[in-house]
Amino acid sequence: NGYNTTSIFSGACAHSVALQSTGDIVVGGTAVGNSTTFALARYTTSGALDSTFGSAGIVTTPILSSASLNTII
């Protein structure tokens, strides 16, 4: 019961949520500004960022265009 707010970068927005078989939660999203960036955050079953995933629970990847990003999400 509850929610979690994670600041990844300015203008970020979550678009997708997936529950892994382990119970971990993966959230995918984007930020569009000077560049378009795809981001993933993984949370443990307790709701904390998973420090074993990416950099402190977060992975970001620059994408060439918004059109490319739309095909990922």
Side-chain angles (χ1 to χ4, degrees), residues 6-61:
T6 302
S7 179
I8 297 177
F9 33 64
S10 178
C13 181
H15 295 280
S16 302
V17 178
L19 182 62
Q20 296 185 306
S21 61
T22 59
D24 290 343
I25 303 162
V26 179
V27 178
T30 60
V32 180
N34 292 338
S35 64
T36 302
T37 303
F38 177 72
L40 292 173
R42 185 166 71 186
Y43 301 91
T44 64
T45 55
S46 68
L49 279 170
D50 181 352
S51 62
T52 67
F53 181 76
S55 178
I58 298 170
V59 174
T60 60
T61 304

